[in-house]
Amino acid sequence: MQQERIRVAVLQYFIRPVADFDAFAAQVRGLVQTAADYRCQLIVFPEYFTLQLLTLGDVTRPIQAQVRTLADWVPQVQELIAQLAAQHRVYIVAGTMPVWNDEGQGITNTCFVFGPDGRFGSQGKLCMTRFESEEWMVSASRGLTIFETSFGRMAVAICYDVEFPEIVRAAALAGVKVLAVPSCTDDRQGFLRVRYCAHARAIENQMYVLHAGTVGSLPMVPAVSLNYGQAAILTPSDFAFARDGILAEGHANQEMMVIGELDLRSIEVQRHDGTVLPLRDSVDVGQRAVLGEVVTL
């Protein structure tokens, strides 16, 4: 039987230098343990949360070389989080990290999503930001993954991807009620682009959106020296949901865990009987919003 309520933890993950992989693992392990202690069943890490592993190498090298070294840590990170998911019987959206493509020639920005038995699937970032494509030489992925869970269907839109309504609308039409948005933004402008679009996606698709972000800094790595983040659990804007459409949010740029309970039944009800029905009506709008005449005034 599908769960109708689930408690979630969305992280403001503090990026800090680490002395070794064990220090990184201890930070991740502590956060998952804390979320489990609060009886959370879904935990969302932010985009590029593994960047602190860069401090284990030569930080003076060109960033595209450092990012490729970071991709070599993927097996160890996967093993760590698979063990934690199975140990605590939780779902973990494990942020993102650079991953070698199938040919081993280039890298993608990929999110691994783990189930309570340790099995996992993945979602690659579909739209690259300029710094990723022009400076880090990260390649775009293809395809939207739908994750079947005990609480229904979930999808992931990685940072910039949430700024494209078409991606999330496709997920919503496939029955997704929960969208995870792992992000990594260096300044307030970038953060707000993601936050405003994440909230728009929650409203227009009548879904919960879980926005996780990085905070802290790595001053010794110029390309990733700043982070601006504020995690939030965003909802549609209707009577059944939180005032202002914000179920919970953190304090900007502090190390925090934002916890809230999602009522998945309310999503189903609102999609059929809400004050407005944007997801249902989007089908008609798509047919009507064709380019008409151009009028010169």
Side-chain angles (χ1 to χ4, degrees):
M1 185 174 180
Q2 186 171 298
Q3 291 178 261
E4 293 189 351
R5 299 186 71 88
I6 181 173
R7 186 172 296 181
V8 302
V10 187
L11 303 183
Q12 285 179 204
Y13 185 91
F14 195 87
I15 300 290
R16 53 168 60 87
V18 292
D20 50 35
F21 184 84
D22 288 343
F24 164 78
Q27 181 174 340
V28 172
R29 191 176 292 113
L31 289 168
V32 174
Q33 176 68 64
T34 299
D37 288 346
Y38 278 92
R39 301 194 303 277
C40 295
Q41 297 159 282
L42 169 63
I43 305 163
V44 183
F45 283 77
E47 181 184 33
Y48 289 126
F49 78 107
T50 57
L51 283 175
Q52 59 196 139
L53 293 173
L54 291 178
T55 58
L56 301 181
D58 181 0
V59 296
T60 66
R61 292 181 302 156
I63 187 62
Q64 58 265 39
Q66 293 190 61
V67 168
R68 279 151 180 77
T69 299
L70 192 57
D72 294 334
W73 288 102
V74 167
Q76 288 175 258
V77 175
Q78 286 178 330
E79 181 180 7
L80 168 66
I81 298 183
Q83 290 175 349
L84 291 171
Q87 176 185 350
H88 297 287
R89 303 296 299 168
V90 295
Y91 292 93
I92 300 177
V93 178
T96 78
M97 61 185 305
V99 175
W100 289 107
N101 62 20
D102 292 338
E103 294 76 29
Q105 301 298 316
I107 58 171
T108 59
N109 183 6
T110 299
C111 175
F112 297 106
V113 179
F114 294 79
D117 60 0
R119 290 184 299 172
F120 66 90
S122 65
Q123 174 65 63
K125 191 171 184 176
L126 305 180
C127 302
M128 293 295 100
T129 58
R130 292 191 63 188
F131 82 85
E132 286 178 295
S133 62
E134 298 174 14
E135 299 176 30
W136 292 21
M137 305 303 175
V138 180
S139 301
S141 297
R142 294 179 62 87
L144 177 65
T145 303
I146 305 298
F147 300 96
E148 289 280 7
T149 74
S150 62
F151 54 88
R153 290 189 163 188
M154 176 175 66
V156 176
I158 301 169
C159 201
Y160 190 36
D161 283 352
V162 83
E163 298 182 32
F164 297 88
E166 303 88 345
I167 295 173
V168 184
R169 176 55 51 81
L173 292 174
V176 167
K177 298 178 183 176
V178 178
L179 179 74
V181 180
S183 74
C184 176
T185 47
D186 62 345
D187 59 23
R188 190 170 185 269
Q189 291 173 324
F191 159 75
L192 288 175
R193 285 195 296 270
V194 177
R195 171 63 177 263
Y196 290 154
C197 289
H199 212 158
R201 303 297 85 85
I203 292 169
E204 67 200 16
N205 295 295
Q206 296 174 288
M207 59 168 49
Y208 288 109
V209 176
L210 314 179
H211 180 194
T214 50
V215 299
S217 66
L218 296 175
M220 70 292 294
V221 186
V224 290
S225 57
L226 297 175
N227 285 277
Y228 190 107
Q230 183 181 25
I233 302 171
L234 307 171
T235 78
S237 184
D238 212 336
F239 291 110
F241 302 98
R243 183 181 184 273
D244 301 328
I246 303 171
L247 178 60
E249 65 180 339
H251 299 292
N253 298 325
Q254 296 184 24
E255 186 172 21
M256 293 191 69
M257 178 180 296
V258 176
I259 296 175
E261 287 198 3
L262 312 186
D263 181 352
L264 284 309
R265 175 62 180 162
S266 67
I267 294 291
E268 193 67 31
V269 170
Q270 292 301 306
R271 284 181 173 181
H272 289 88
D273 195 31
T275 303
V276 292
L277 304 172
L279 182 58
R280 186 204 68 179
D281 293 343
S282 67
V283 177
D284 291 336
V285 169
Q287 295 171 347
R288 295 173 187 167
V290 295
L291 182 62
E293 63 178 324
V294 177
V295 178
T296 300
L297 300 176

